Amino acid sequence: MKNLQAHRSLNPRRQSAKLITAMLSAMLISATSLQSAVAQPSVDTGAAAGFAILGGTAVTLTDSTVIGDVGSPTAVTVTTSTVVGTVYPAADPVVNSAYSDFQIRYDAIPFEACDQTLSSGDLSGLMLTPGTYCIEAASTTTNGTLTLDGQGDANAAWLFKVGTGGTGALTGTGLTVVMENGAQPCNVTWWVAEAVTMSASSFKGNILAGAATTFTGGSLIGQVLAQTGVTFTGTDVFACTELDAMKNKSCGYHGKKHQDKKQHGKKKAHCNQGVGNGPENCDPGKSNHGDYHNSNDETGGTPGKPGRKGNNS
């Protein structure tokens, strides 16, 4: 167990950070060119936007990979997990400022008008265009797929308000959120009156939760901001701040967080595929043929001894 600092285990999950990055890179390259958005919901969480996970009380990460910053005004516990980013100590003013901005935005969203009120909290089989969607009570989806259609606009945005009647939790088991026609995960916001619980789900969007948030297995592309505790177990998380960095062509993604934003102006380092140089997060000649488990990028080895180690054997 390791508290209040980034922990990088030798667990195989560490390799999943590289896999997620590669998959998201392909998604971003294929996205439609930016167009002007018309009458789209916008949720600005201020200083909290820079976090992958921000809890009002304790944040606990177990057997997970998080690419992005993590913080809590009380405590963060990281166990056998990888955090590629900053784990802020509870007393850090950055955390207090971020949580304050989140709280202000959370309290304001209920006053925003709904474009449509969904008759059921079950999201299975829905295909929704941009807008603000409201669910009066709880939303529960089991083994279902929600498709968000950007209609060719990469700025298209969605705001889901769960529990507009005063109470309501967001629950997903085997829930998959699919983005189509230029839709971007970080343009999706989920405001939830109460708790959020996801199991074995492929979830996308930024969660603003009024109570505890729990992810078990699966993945999240986006962020979690919660008024109480946050628990991730066996989950891969990719923060929106890292997606934004990947969109900037002048900023190569090196498989680790840029500690200084000025580094975004630097070119990505050239690949050096000599055995024993370690991973460079690149695959010269695209030798993996679309299978990110078979990249030429070394994960180890000893100079002078041909061959690769780890996933590249």
Side-chain angles (χ1 to χ4, degrees):
M1 180 177 296
K2 194 167 185 177
N3 297 333
L4 304 180
Q5 61 181 354
H7 175 71
R8 302 171 185 274
S9 72
L10 297 179
N11 190 292
R13 281 193 166 276
R14 186 169 181 180
Q15 297 301 322
S16 64
K18 179 180 175 181
L19 172 60
I20 298 171
T21 301
M23 293 174 65
L24 290 172
S25 296
M27 178 190 72
L28 290 172
I29 292 171
S30 63
T32 305
S33 300
L34 295 178
Q35 301 177 15
S36 298
V38 178
Q40 307 261 337
S42 176
V43 177
D44 181 4
T45 54
F51 282 81
I53 301 172
L54 178 64
T57 56
V59 171
T60 303
L61 307 177
T62 305
D63 296 331
S64 296
T65 298
V66 179
I67 302 180
D69 294 344
V70 179
S72 164
T74 58
V76 176
T77 301
V78 181
T79 305
T80 60
S81 297
T82 298
V83 176
V84 185
T86 301
V87 178
Y88 286 93
D92 197 300
V94 172
V95 174
N96 294 331
S97 176
Y99 187 78
S100 176
D101 284 357
F102 152 59
Q103 189 64 65
I104 290 171
R105 194 67 188 99
Y106 181 88
D107 292 341
I109 289 178
F111 297 100
E112 298 188 11
C114 302
D115 294 325
Q116 181 179 341
T117 297
L118 301 178
S119 59
S120 169
D122 188 348
L123 303 175
S124 298
L126 295 181
M127 177 177 284
L128 302 177
T129 54
T132 299
Y133 296 89
C134 293
I135 300 172
E136 292 184 351
S139 172
T140 301
T141 304
T142 301
N143 298 328
T145 298
L146 167 65
T147 302
L148 303 181
D149 182 359
Q151 300 183 314
D153 184 357
N155 286 328
W158 291 259
L159 171 59
F160 292 90
K161 298 166 62 177
V162 180
T164 56
T167 59
L170 173 62
T171 304
T173 302
L175 169 61
T176 300
V177 180
V178 175
M179 317 300 293
E180 289 190 352
N181 297 323
Q184 301 296 317
C186 294
N187 291 343
V188 183
T189 301
W190 300 84
W191 180 93
V192 184
E194 296 181 312
V196 175
T197 304
M198 290 288 152
S199 300
S201 296
S202 177
F203 199 78
K204 297 177 179 67
N206 303 310
I207 297 172
L208 283 69
T213 298
T214 303
F215 272 70
T216 304
S219 63
L220 167 66
I221 302 177
Q223 67 174 167
V224 168
L225 309 175
Q227 291 187 334
T228 59
V230 179
T231 302
F232 279 82
T233 304
T235 307
D236 293 322
V237 183
F238 201 108
C240 287
T241 49
E242 299 302 330
L243 271 178
D244 291 340
M246 290 169 62
K247 289 179 184 179
N248 184 349
K249 293 182 180 180
S250 67
C251 178
Y253 185 81
H254 297 275
K256 61 182 179 179
K257 179 177 175 60
H258 296 280
Q259 298 298 329
D260 184 350
K261 293 183 178 180
K262 293 181 181 179
Q263 293 180 4
H264 284 199
K266 295 182 180 180
K267 295 182 179 179
K268 184 175 180 178
H270 294 293
C271 293
N272 181 1
Q273 293 295 296
V275 175
N277 287 319
E280 291 99 4
N281 293 295
C282 54
D283 182 14
K286 299 186 182 302
S287 63
N288 57 22
H289 301 291
D291 184 351
Y292 297 104
H293 293 286
N294 295 323
S295 172
N296 261 350
D297 195 17
E298 276 78 24
T299 58
T302 302
K305 293 184 178 181
R308 303 183 181 88
K309 294 178 65 178
N311 289 341
N312 304 342
S313 58

